[in-house]
Amino acid sequence: MTTFHDFHIHHEPGDADATPLLLLHGTGGDERDLIAFGRAVAPRSPLLGLRGRRTEGPVTRWFRRHGEGVFDLPDLEARQAELLSAIEAAPAAFGFARPPVAIGYSNGANITTAMLMRGGARALSGAVLMRSMAGLEPRPDLDLAGLPVLMLDGAYDPLAPTASRSAQWLTQHGAQLERKTGGPGHELTADDMRLTRDWLARLPALTG
Ligand code: MLT
């Protein structure tokens, strides 16, 4: 299978009892971008990389923006709902033992954050948000009780000035948030990998 719900995908099977990872690239990336990262942080996990369907010139994205950091919120709302439908169908289609943990970087973290705010936690076992920004506001009835979330920020990341707002929303609505610094800027580092690997190893304890 190379497409799923009209998304280009890259799927790598893993051990049946290991938590699957859903990998969501940043602006300009594709379904393979985070596969090596996923394999490094979870050697036994099934991996599913998806490609965003929006384009900005030649560049792939998950949703439209009006400018750097200025999101097209109606488009973000529609695109997160499409992505959620695909994620909800993934366990049956790929034989996952449980819902996946989403790992998103930059634009991929931003659509993941939006999905969490609109109720998408029901389709996930957890989320890793690397260099994320706030977009859609939380639904008033949002219940994230017990959802493990790891946020990895860049200490001086100029592209993610609103991460603290989503951290506050996640905590207010009950997520089990761990927030750490993954590196100095927007780029991923070996620390992001190490912190994600350690957090995933603790996931069974976090989810009880
Ligand atoms: C976004 O548009 O999602 C953010 O500005 C980060 C990025 O450049 O992708």
Side-chain angles (χ1 to χ4, degrees):
M1 200 186 309
T2 56
T3 60
F4 180 64
H5 283 234
D6 290 333
F7 289 99
H8 286 278
I9 59 159
H10 178 80
H11 173 230
E12 287 191 7
D15 291 358
D17 65 329
T19 301
L21 302 185
L22 184 86
L23 302 163
L24 305 169
H25 63 80
T27 296
D30 69 20
E31 64 277 19
R32 291 174 183 268
D33 263 29
L34 290 174
I35 295 293
F37 185 97
R39 199 38 85 219
V41 297
R44 296 172 54 249
S45 286
L47 305 178
L48 182 63
L50 284 84
R51 187 193 306 178
R53 299 212 307 245
R54 279 279 176 240
T55 49
E56 199 175 74
V59 164
T60 48
R61 284 182 55 81
W62 290 97
F63 56 89
R64 272 198 208 109
R65 63 180 164 184
H66 300 297
E68 184 62 63
V70 187
F71 299 164
D72 178 334
L73 294 179
D75 192 58
L76 177 53
E77 182 84 60
R79 302 288 85 75
Q80 67 79 25
E82 278 175 8
L83 179 60
L84 179 58
S85 301
I87 298 172
E88 284 181 317
F94 296 97
F96 294 163
R98 64 183 71 91
V101 168
I103 300 188
Y105 167 59
S106 188
N107 189 236
N110 298 344
I111 194 161
T112 306
T113 302
M115 209 165 48
L116 291 179
M117 295 306 149
R118 309 310 284 167
R122 65 176 183 267
L124 295 172
S125 293
V128 180
L129 307 170
M130 302 189 289
R131 315 299 189 268
S132 65
M133 286 177 71
L136 299 177
E137 302 220 347
R139 281 191 343 205
D141 63 343
L142 185 67
D143 181 7
L144 298 173
L147 184 80
V149 179
L150 175 65
M151 269 181 88
L152 296 175
D153 303 316
Y156 310 104
D157 182 0
L159 294 180
T162 57
S164 290
R165 196 182 316 153
S166 34
Q168 202 181 358
W169 286 340
L170 286 163
T171 311
Q172 269 168 5
H173 290 272
Q176 259 183 282
L177 177 67
E178 287 185 34
R179 190 174 179 201
K180 301 208 160 126
T181 299
H186 200 68
E187 298 308 310
L188 294 180
T189 73
D191 277 351
D192 289 293
M193 212 176 256
R194 179 181 55 76
L195 291 163
T196 303
R197 192 185 55 225
D198 293 352
W199 180 84
L200 284 170
R202 284 189 285 116
L203 202 60
L206 295 174
T207 51

